[in-house]
Amino acid sequence: MNINILGTSLKKNEVLFASEFGEGRGTWCGAAVAAGETCGAEFELPPLFMRWVDIVPAHGGRCEIRMDGNVVILTGILENIEEDGTGYLRLGRDVIMFECLGEPMALGGFVEIRTGEIMLYPVNP
């Protein structure tokens, strides 16, 4: 996903970013970046999420990234959850993998994932 670096925060390597889906924050895991730079980034969601707690059905029918205090909310299509708990969230052309536990959820609908931690890895756009 292409992101535009808006600035840095007080936490080491944490950046504020904007994308076509909205604004968020995450830990940049690459060479230093500065405000105004556009980068290709792969998102990693390190926490283990609980279905129906951290991942809930979303209304509105559009992909979005937004912040609520210290939490980043990713809204997208729940593409799949494998037997081992590996899940796939689609935001536009991009797919974000995550690990989850809990009761089954319907696939193909919009969900919100609330997270306090996103790792951003540089990739070629």
Side-chain angles (χ1 to χ4, degrees):
M1 176 181 308
N2 285 332
I3 61 171
N4 183 23
I5 305 299
L6 300 175
T8 58
S9 77
L10 297 177
K11 287 185 180 177
K12 181 179 168 95
N13 298 326
E14 188 172 70
V15 296
L16 305 173
F17 66 88
S19 75
E20 64 182 297
F21 304 110
E23 296 181 1
R25 66 173 175 74
T27 302
W28 183 253
C29 301
V33 291
E37 284 188 59
T38 298
C39 310
E42 180 177 315
F43 287 49
E44 178 187 331
L45 304 179
L48 179 63
F49 297 100
M50 291 298 300
R51 291 177 230 152
W52 301 103
V53 176
D54 306 306
I55 307 167
V56 295
H59 306 288
R62 68 186 191 114
C63 296
E64 184 178 34
I65 298 174
R66 70 183 192 279
M67 292 181 35
D68 181 10
N70 290 330
V71 174
V72 179
I73 303 168
L74 305 171
T75 304
I77 298 171
L78 183 60
E79 287 224 333
N80 194 18
I81 297 177
E82 297 177 358
E83 284 186 28
D84 68 358
T86 301
Y88 302 89
L89 181 73
R90 176 167 294 284
L91 272 80
R93 298 178 316 274
D94 297 290
V95 175
I96 300 171
M97 292 175 52
F98 59 91
E99 298 294 325
C100 63
L101 296 172
E103 296 298 315
M105 296 186 83
L107 303 177
F110 280 88
V111 295
E112 286 185 358
I113 297 179
R114 302 176 67 86
T115 182
E117 186 177 6
I118 297 176
M119 308 300 283
L120 302 167
Y121 294 90
V123 295
N124 295 329

